[in-house]
Amino acid sequence: MPDRGSGVALSWWCLGSGPTDAYEKRFPTCPQIPVFLGSEVLGESRSADGAVHVVERSCRLRVDAPRLLRKIAGVEHVVFVQKNVLNWRERTLLIEAHNETFASRVVVKENCSYSVHPENEDWTCFEQSASLDIRSFFGFENTLEKIAMKQYTANVKRGKEVIEHYLNELISQGTSHIPRWTPAPVREEDARSQPGSQQAEGTLRALGPAAEAVGTDGDKLDADYIQRCLGQLTPMQESCLIQLRHWLQETHRGKIPKDEHILRFLRARDFHLDKAREMLCQSLSWRKQHQVDVLLQTWRPPALLEEFYAGGWHYQDIDGRPLYILRLGQMDTKGLMKAVGEEALLQHVLSVNEEGQKSSWTCLLDLEGLNMRHLWRPGVKALLRMIEVVEDNYPETLGRLLIVRAPRVFPVLWTLVSPFINENTRQKFLIYSGSNYQGPGGLVDYLDKEVIPDFLGGESVCSVPEGGLVPKSLYLTEEEQEQADQLRLWSETYHSASVLRGAPHEVALEILEGESVITWDFDILRGDVVFSLYHTKQALKPGPREPGAKASGQLMDKGWVLGTDYSRVEAPLVCREGESIQGSHVTRWPGVYLLQWQVHSPPGSMACSLPGDVLTALHSPGPKCKLLYYCEVLASEDFRGSMSSLESCTSGFSQLSAATSSSSSGQSQGSSLVSR
């Protein structure tokens, strides 16, 4: 809301840097905030034209909490990381902060923004929000929440007072006017002579279809291209689009998405560049992992889905968007899940969204017939999963959702699913109960009369299947359903690996602290393997890049000597085909821990003495063993004194093998074995 600053000239913000200069005076310490103990700059950067200034700081705050709570926690101060982004061109200051201390137990995030009021440049808009997620805190969760809320309420008021104090200080020092920022003029011949200008022009030419739309200064798009392909964009939005596309061009391996696709992710994150980039990168990884780019070429719905899935494309809406009709009330969702499985339903939903993302689309959702049987718990859980996948990977694709004939049970379903739907998406929903969709303000405002389907009183004969109950004779058997569930879990969590004779498969985990807990769960699909766990301080190729990161393949150097370059911290375990193995290891030293699987050589056969010796593997007739595996690193404070944390990370369908239980007495270094 607008903050007039009690007479203080906050309008300087629209002229120059008054509030910004006042804000910077809080560092490195601030007497007006006694709990603020000090800060240090972690990093600082400026854009080439000087318009954007980014500063990242580490800030120390005294813990204002009861002495008993401080003693139990063992700290007198906490550390927060704060990132400030000052944009002179847009006249905004964005502040993001999160805690580093106790980050595994408590997650605190705060966002503040200063901007010029859109209607009155004499006012400064100030927005502040924060979130607190207390996962566990020594049994004092409720106490901590009350203390945090009390302090936050006090700090909201205190922040304004501090800014006003330093603004008055600037005035007393004679600073009463700071001119607005303007870019320094650059002559054309100077710009062309600057280093990298030719490279920049080459980069723009490499942008593909949008190359002619990008100006020579790299931050403008051709107005005709915008109007024709992208819609209306502000200069700031143009800049975000080009920056994100340039970043993808330089860092992303693979096909670069079109501008329209990138723009959807920017809009979904309100053009917050870092958040949009993170969301887009996760989506691109998801598409690659699940081969979504070829889904429309490879997916063929089962005949049962084509018969009983009551959905299909049907002409266009009044704005020319493709129209998809889904008669959810007529669909036997429980029967479909039991007949084809959740994964097949998800694939079908993704194929619809792949078709729809070619251009913005409209969905007409008919709920006549919706009742309590549609609220079957596994079905609702599957629906929420599908909504989450679609929200994460197809943002700003749906143009409009028309919900008609919503029955009395609809509010129950809406209460369950609405928290999982983005606010921008919810604003596109139009809900009609009963028959009020037929008159003015109803479907005729969005669909031509000749397009409205006949079952809604229109003139169009709709070819969408009518759905109906799926015969129980078509249900999957319990064994088939269990196998489908296992495959789904494996595809989401587990990694597959082939192990060659003489060429083991290894997974590296970097441990920075002495005590952490490594857990593993794997299934032997083919052949017999020997599982071992090693520790080394040597560098690996390729090595893990960050704590908990996994590098896999054959990682040990073939010249390493056991006992000198690396040590064995778990006794070798022979695992037979078909077995499921789970276990854990409490680490004692920092360094790299290697989980290793190698082909088991029976007594009397020629065994490889060196884990890294691939010579034999080159002459072997292909993979000898195959496995699915999952591993994780747990912080010691989350694990100590309880087996529940370990049990929660193992698979729900694996069983402890006889080999595992018989060899558990040989485990060393505090290892433990569990099953579910």
Side-chain angles (χ1 to χ4, degrees), residues 262-335:
I262 299 173
L263 198 56
R264 288 175 183 145
F265 287 84
L266 285 166
R267 285 178 172 143
R269 291 296 177 261
D270 296 322
F271 286 88
H272 189 294
L273 192 57
D274 290 340
K275 293 180 180 179
R277 178 167 55 197
E278 180 182 1
M279 183 184 185
L280 178 56
C281 287
Q282 290 177 353
S283 179
L284 292 175
S285 298
W286 171 82
R287 294 183 69 86
K288 182 177 180 180
Q289 179 183 354
H290 297 280
Q291 298 183 325
V292 181
D293 285 337
V294 296
L295 180 64
L296 293 180
Q297 290 75 42
T298 58
W299 168 249
R300 294 294 179 269
L304 191 147
L305 262 184
E306 292 183 331
E307 181 178 355
F308 291 97
Y309 189 88
W313 295 102
H314 180 78
Y315 301 107
Q316 297 176 329
D317 70 1
I318 202 168
D319 297 316
R321 298 188 187 99
L323 175 65
Y324 190 85
I325 294 178
L326 181 62
R327 304 186 68 181
L328 183 61
Q330 303 298 313
M331 202 155 59
D332 181 8
T333 52
K334 180 178 180 179

Side-chain angles (χ1 to χ4, degrees), residues 328-350:
L328 183 61
Q330 303 298 313
M331 202 155 59
D332 181 8
T333 52
K334 180 178 180 179
L336 285 173
M337 279 192 63
K338 285 185 170 291
V340 300
E342 179 181 336
E343 199 62 28
L345 278 174
L346 175 61
Q347 292 292 308
H348 194 60
V349 170
L350 292 181

Side-chain angles (χ1 to χ4, degrees), residues 28 126 187 224 230 251 281 293 305 423 554 628 636 643:
F126 172 70
R187 294 183 303 172
D224 180 63
L230 305 178
T251 61
C281 287
D293 285 337
L305 262 184
E423 176 62 28
Q554 187 173 356
L628 285 169
S636 58
M643 294 298 290

Side-chain angles (χ1 to χ4, degrees), residues 207-242:
L207 293 180
E212 64 181 25
V214 182
T216 55
D217 59 358
D219 62 358
K220 294 289 184 180
L221 291 172
D222 180 72
D224 180 63
Y225 170 75
I226 295 174
Q227 187 67 29
R228 182 164 33 90
C229 302
L230 305 178
Q232 291 186 337
L233 295 178
T234 67
M236 182 277 291
Q237 293 170 346
E238 284 185 45
S239 177
C240 289
L241 173 59
I242 293 174

Side-chain angles (χ1 to χ4, degrees), residues 6 48 137 139 300 331 337 368 461 509 572 579 585:
S6 302
F137 204 79
R300 294 294 179 269
M331 202 155 59
M337 279 192 63
E368 185 184 48
V461 177
L509 299 169
E579 289 183 344
H585 176 87

Side-chain angles (χ1 to χ4, degrees), residues 581-628:
I581 311 297
Q582 301 85 40
S584 68
H585 176 87
V586 180
T587 65
R588 289 190 175 182
W589 314 283
V592 177
Y593 286 77
L594 281 163
L595 288 75
Q596 183 194 81
W597 295 267
Q598 59 179 328
V599 174
H600 173 58
S601 300
S605 65
M606 184 179 297
C608 275
S609 59
L610 292 176
D613 186 6
V614 298
L615 196 57
T616 307
L618 295 176
H619 296 87
S620 298
K624 297 297 183 182
C625 303
K626 191 169 185 179
L627 60 99
L628 285 169

Side-chain angles (χ1 to χ4, degrees), residues 403-406 431-443:
I403 301 176
V404 298
R405 301 200 284 193
I431 304 173
Y432 302 93
S433 61
S435 59
N436 64 352
Y437 65 89
Q438 296 177 339
L443 294 184

Side-chain angles (χ1 to χ4, degrees), residues 361-476:
W361 58 294
T362 292
C363 181
L364 174 59
L365 181 60
D366 179 22
L367 296 184
E368 185 184 48
L370 187 78
N371 54 45
M372 292 302 296
R373 67 183 173 86
H374 289 92
L375 302 183
W376 178 56
R377 186 177 180 85
V380 172
K381 184 178 179 181
L383 175 62
L384 295 179
R385 178 191 174 209
M386 294 174 191
I387 290 174
E388 184 177 18
V389 171
V390 171
E391 284 284 297
D392 288 344
N393 299 284
Y394 300 93
E396 298 297 315
T397 302
L398 183 67
R400 187 180 293 120
L401 177 63
L402 304 170
I403 301 176
V404 298
R405 301 200 284 193
R408 291 183 178 181
V409 75
F410 173 70
V412 180
L413 179 62
W414 179 249
T415 301
L416 293 172
V417 304
S418 60
F420 295 85
I421 302 174
N422 183 273
E423 176 62 28
N424 291 345
T425 305
R426 289 204 299 266
Q427 292 178 358
K428 301 173 183 178
F429 288 17
L430 295 166
I431 304 173
Y432 302 93
S433 61
S435 59
N436 64 352
Y437 65 89
Q438 296 177 339
L443 294 184
V444 292
D445 287 357
Y446 308 102
L447 304 176
D448 290 329
K449 291 183 179 180
E450 58 269 20
V451 170
I452 297 175
D454 50 2
F455 58 83
L456 292 177
E459 302 175 1
S460 178
V461 177
C462 185
S463 60
V464 172
E466 295 182 359
L469 293 176
V470 178
K472 292 186 177 181
S473 60
L474 300 178
Y475 286 8
L476 298 173

